[in-house]
Amino acid sequence: ERNGFFYSCDINLNPVDPDEWLHSGAPRHWKSIIERIDVWSGFLAMWYGIATKEQAERMVKENYLNERTFYSDYGICSLGKSEKMYKIQVSGNPSCWLGPIWGISNFVLFESLLKYGYTDLARDMAEKTVTMFGRDIEKHGEMHEYYDPETGEGVHNRGFQSWNVMSVLMYQWLKDNT
């Protein structure tokens, strides 16, 4: 309530193992239990319909539309820009969730905005996502896994198709609602 946002909690923080394959691409570089972190998944409370209308309004105005946290001209940053861990970097296993734009987070926020009646903001999210992916396809012939929030350029893993294809649903919604 204090921050107008929903947070995840990780109480099972294991020590960093440099030989573990899963985190070899981007090992955790913080050493304490994270109690509060501005991460895009906080918006899942809207997507699931858990947030009240008042909570959703605060989340949108104080968090999503705040250029110091999640807002980007290309969608929603996966980690708030004011977080100490915020860093746009190439990593493949696990992939970088420390700030880049991801198609899945843009899609989830798009649907969340629609659910709570923020049609104009949802339209904006759909347009910026479809445009970013379209430019990437025009330039490289395929999409990347994640994107730089300052430039909209693909950062890593060209040829990624998974949830990025959900942008077709955004494109269809734009086509049906213009």
Side-chain angles (χ1 to χ4, degrees):
E1 192 58 38
R2 183 181 80 193
N3 299 334
F5 201 61
F6 285 80
Y7 296 101
S8 297
C9 182
D10 186 355
I11 59 173
N12 188 22
L13 207 56
N14 294 322
V16 174
D17 179 355
D19 297 322
E20 180 185 352
W21 70 270
L22 180 63
H23 294 101
S24 62
R28 186 179 75 245
H29 57 275
W30 52 96
K31 297 179 182 181
S32 62
I33 294 177
I34 301 167
E35 295 178 8
R36 185 198 65 81
I37 183 170
D38 289 334
V39 64
W40 79 273
S41 59
F43 292 99
L44 286 171
M46 290 174 61
W47 193 61
Y48 285 116
I50 296 168
T52 66
K53 184 177 179 178
E54 294 77 19
Q55 289 170 328
E57 183 175 355
R58 284 190 67 198
M59 291 172 70
V60 169
K61 289 182 179 177
E62 297 174 25
N63 293 285
Y64 168 56
L65 295 176
N66 186 341
E67 291 185 9
R68 291 179 293 139
T69 56
F70 293 103
Y71 185 83
S72 164
D73 289 335
Y74 303 97
I76 180 174
C77 295
S78 52
L79 186 70
K81 296 176 201 170
S82 59
E83 291 292 341
K84 291 179 183 178
M85 296 174 289
Y86 181 85
K87 186 174 185 178
I88 309 304
Q89 69 181 34
V90 172
S91 65
N93 193 8
S95 299
C96 185
W97 286 90
L98 300 177
I101 305 295
W102 284 72
I104 187 67
S105 49
N106 277 7
F107 182 78
V108 166
L109 187 57
F110 161 75
E111 284 199 331
S112 300
L113 292 166
L114 284 176
K115 186 176 285 189
Y116 283 85
Y118 293 98
T119 307
D120 290 340
L121 290 176
R123 177 176 285 104
D124 181 60
M125 177 61 74
E127 288 172 350
K128 57 177 65 171
T129 303
V130 169
T131 300
M132 179 179 68
F133 286 156
R135 285 185 190 147
D136 201 21
I137 291 169
E138 286 176 0
K139 185 174 181 179
H140 299 285
E142 53 197 356
M143 294 178 278
H144 284 75
E145 188 176 19
Y146 49 94
Y147 295 80
D148 188 302
E150 299 299 320
T151 65
E153 292 293 318
V155 176
H156 193 51
N157 294 338
R158 258 177 53 184
F160 188 79
Q161 295 180 10
S162 187
W163 48 60
N164 285 357
V165 297
M166 293 170 84
S167 62
V168 172
L169 298 172
M170 298 164 98
Y171 173 79
Q172 187 62 49
W173 182 88
L174 285 169
K175 193 173 164 187
D176 294 344
N177 290 279
T178 52

